[in-house]
Amino acid sequence: MDKFKISQLKDYFLKTNETNVSYKNLSKEDLLSLAILSVFDKKGKEIKGKNYSYERPDGVIDEKELNITQKEYEKAIKQIYKELKKETGNEISSLKMPSYADLQAMMANDKKIDLKELKIFASNGIVKKDGAEKPRPVLIPEKTGNNNLSDDEKVNFINNAMINHEDEIYRIQDMVEAAEKRGETLSFVALAQIKDLQSKIDEFTPDDNVAFNLQDGLDGKQFNENGQMITRINNHAGFYEKYKYDTPQDKEYSEMMRYKGNGYKAEYWRMETIQNSNGQSVKGKVQYILDENEKIYKIVLPPNAEKNQDIEDFNAYMLYNRVLKYDSELPEDE
């Protein structure tokens, strides 16, 4: 077979691309998967223009097209790796390169190999199974108990709050007392901003369309048919995590809910547009920590975010209220 060159990949991409994605915006998973397709996928529909014609590949490798020996394939994959390394730097080294046996397993599922299953393998090293072999989704446990803090936990919370945030708590206390003297109720910008977000948290429904599982040390993970992780069981920390994505192509999640082992929501993460320390608008994952009633009580911006006084005031105000609440719920000393 001919020696693989990047020009072969680019030519294949131009012939098969039906989206508005440009070559420079392809992910490394796309590049590897398309490179493999370009080696085998030759048949398709004849395209005729006024002064040209060519055969457009159909985007899959069928049984007749997988007409290569293991030795020839191993040579081809080495050439692909070498060329893509030149093209992407060292990024390609993080991908899983399918072996000859992996290709045979992909072909055995449905008598063809497509871009989607090659991308899943590149990301996770997993051969996608057909629909009949889909695993059952891991469901969030039913809620048990009332999720309330014990008296000892309330005492520890108050003590830690006063040790680590004493100045903030007394600052809010002064603001509350000053507002009361004016006959006003203290409020913060962030309190209004999170109202709609709290509704999203209350109504969050996990995506349980599972295509395959992956065991990763103590973690159990489940992926959808696009190779996106939709469930993670963190057995070490005792949390369940459910992920959502805006589009089937996204590598980064748009929402993530973290549940405790008792089934209650503990944290909500969301991809948002934030201001970084240079004042630029960038994408970042914002964390919302939930109390025992699954309500937002703390907002944590990513490390590269610019300081936000509205959020800091909100966090201090909610902390102040929790300290008062827990203190009032503790039994009086005899």
Side-chain angles (χ1 to χ4, degrees), residues 73-179:
Y73 175 72
E74 288 171 353
K75 182 179 179 181
I77 208 70
K78 284 180 182 177
Q79 292 172 353
I80 289 172
Y81 181 85
K82 182 179 178 181
E83 290 293 306
L84 289 181
K85 192 171 181 182
K86 288 180 187 176
E87 186 86 345
T88 68
N90 236 2
E91 289 181 32
I92 203 71
S93 61
S94 65
L95 297 185
K96 309 294 189 300
M97 312 290 282
S99 68
Y100 188 74
D102 293 326
L103 285 191
Q104 299 297 327
M106 291 181 201
M107 182 62 70
N109 285 332
D110 52 8
K111 308 304 180 186
K112 62 185 173 83
I113 302 170
D114 59 24
L115 178 66
K116 185 178 290 185
E117 54 191 322
L118 286 169
K119 286 178 66 175
I120 288 173
F121 191 93
S123 297
N124 307 298
I126 297 290
V127 175
K128 180 180 166 236
K129 303 298 182 183
D130 62 28
E133 299 181 52
K134 285 184 178 179
R136 292 181 179 179
V138 171
L139 303 178
I140 300 304
E142 293 289 331
K143 291 180 179 179
T144 57
N146 56 21
N147 203 38
N148 291 338
L149 275 65
S150 67
D151 287 348
D152 286 343
E153 288 173 327
K154 291 174 183 176
V155 170
N156 287 335
F157 182 92
I158 293 170
N159 289 340
N160 288 332
M162 296 308 298
I163 290 170
N164 298 310
H165 305 283
E166 182 179 13
D167 290 345
E168 296 170 70
I169 290 171
Y170 284 127
R171 176 173 69 87
I172 296 297
Q173 180 176 305
D174 290 342
M175 293 173 68
V176 170
E177 292 175 351

Side-chain angles (χ1 to χ4, degrees), residues 172-204:
I172 296 297
Q173 180 176 305
D174 290 342
M175 293 173 68
V176 170
E177 292 175 351
E180 288 175 348
K181 287 181 180 179
R182 297 192 303 268
E184 300 173 357
T185 301
L186 189 65
S187 186
F188 294 100
V189 172
L191 282 171
Q193 291 177 339
I194 66 167
K195 186 176 180 181
D196 290 340
L197 185 57
Q198 184 66 58
S199 296
K200 286 179 68 71
I201 292 171
D202 295 340
E203 298 164 6
F204 184 89

Side-chain angles (χ1 to χ4, degrees), residues 26-288:
L26 290 174
S27 68
K28 56 184 185 290
E29 290 85 1
D30 282 317
L31 291 172
L32 174 58
S33 303
L34 288 168
I36 294 172
L37 281 169
S38 74
V39 171
F40 298 102
D41 181 24
K42 305 298 183 184
K43 296 189 306 179
K45 181 180 179 182
E46 186 178 4
I47 305 296
K48 290 185 177 181
K50 187 174 182 180
N51 300 312
Y52 66 89
S53 69
Y54 67 91
E55 188 165 13
R56 178 179 183 173
D58 60 7
V60 299
I61 306 169
D62 62 31
E63 287 183 294
K64 291 182 179 178
E65 289 175 318
L66 195 61
N67 56 352
I68 189 172
T69 66
Q70 180 171 345
K71 188 174 181 180
E72 288 173 322
Y73 175 72
E74 288 171 353
K75 182 179 179 181
I77 208 70
K78 284 180 182 177
Q79 292 172 353
I80 289 172
Y81 181 85
K82 182 179 178 181
E83 290 293 306
L84 289 181
K85 192 171 181 182
K86 288 180 187 176
E87 186 86 345
T88 68
N90 236 2
E91 289 181 32
I92 203 71
S93 61
S94 65
L95 297 185
K96 309 294 189 300
M97 312 290 282
S99 68
Y100 188 74
D102 293 326
L103 285 191
Q104 299 297 327
M106 291 181 201
M107 182 62 70
N109 285 332
D110 52 8
K111 308 304 180 186
K112 62 185 173 83
I113 302 170
D114 59 24
L115 178 66
K116 185 178 290 185
E117 54 191 322
L118 286 169
K119 286 178 66 175
I120 288 173
F121 191 93
S123 297
N124 307 298
I126 297 290
V127 175
K128 180 180 166 236
K129 303 298 182 183
D130 62 28
E133 299 181 52
K134 285 184 178 179
R136 292 181 179 179
V138 171
L139 303 178
I140 300 304
E142 293 289 331
K143 291 180 179 179
T144 57
N146 56 21
N147 203 38
N148 291 338
L149 275 65
S150 67
D151 287 348
D152 286 343
E153 288 173 327
K154 291 174 183 176
V155 170
N156 287 335
F157 182 92
I158 293 170
N159 289 340
N160 288 332
M162 296 308 298
I163 290 170
N164 298 310
H165 305 283
E166 182 179 13
D167 290 345
E168 296 170 70
I169 290 171
Y170 284 127
R171 176 173 69 87
I172 296 297
Q173 180 176 305
D174 290 342
M175 293 173 68
V176 170
E177 292 175 351
E180 288 175 348
K181 287 181 180 179
R182 297 192 303 268
E184 300 173 357
T185 301
L186 189 65
S187 186
F188 294 100
V189 172
L191 282 171
Q193 291 177 339
I194 66 167
K195 186 176 180 181
D196 290 340
L197 185 57
Q198 184 66 58
S199 296
K200 286 179 68 71
I201 292 171
D202 295 340
E203 298 164 6
F204 184 89
T205 303
D207 177 7
D208 290 322
N209 185 21
V210 181
F212 61 92
N213 292 334
L214 178 64
Q215 191 65 34
D216 183 11
L218 290 175
D219 289 353
K221 299 177 180 179
Q222 294 193 314
F223 296 79
N224 62 21
E225 62 179 6
N226 303 310
Q228 297 164 322
M229 183 170 67
I230 58 172
T231 301
R232 175 175 175 248
I233 308 171
N234 187 334
N235 285 308
H236 179 73
F239 285 112
Y240 295 76
E241 296 170 354
K242 291 287 187 176
Y243 300 79
K244 288 186 175 183
Y245 301 82
D246 284 336
T247 73
Q249 292 77 36
D250 287 343
K251 295 293 292 181
E252 295 285 343
Y253 65 80
S254 57
E255 298 177 73
M256 185 268 275
M257 189 71 75
R258 182 171 288 160
Y259 299 79
K260 296 180 183 179
N262 62 4
Y264 282 85
K265 297 167 185 172
E267 297 173 24
Y268 175 71
W269 294 67
R270 193 170 78 151
M271 185 71 78
E272 298 183 15
T273 300
I274 60 168
Q275 298 294 312
N276 66 14
S277 55
N278 296 321
Q280 300 168 318
S281 293
V282 296
K283 291 288 187 179
K285 292 170 184 171
V286 180
Q287 177 188 17
Y288 297 86

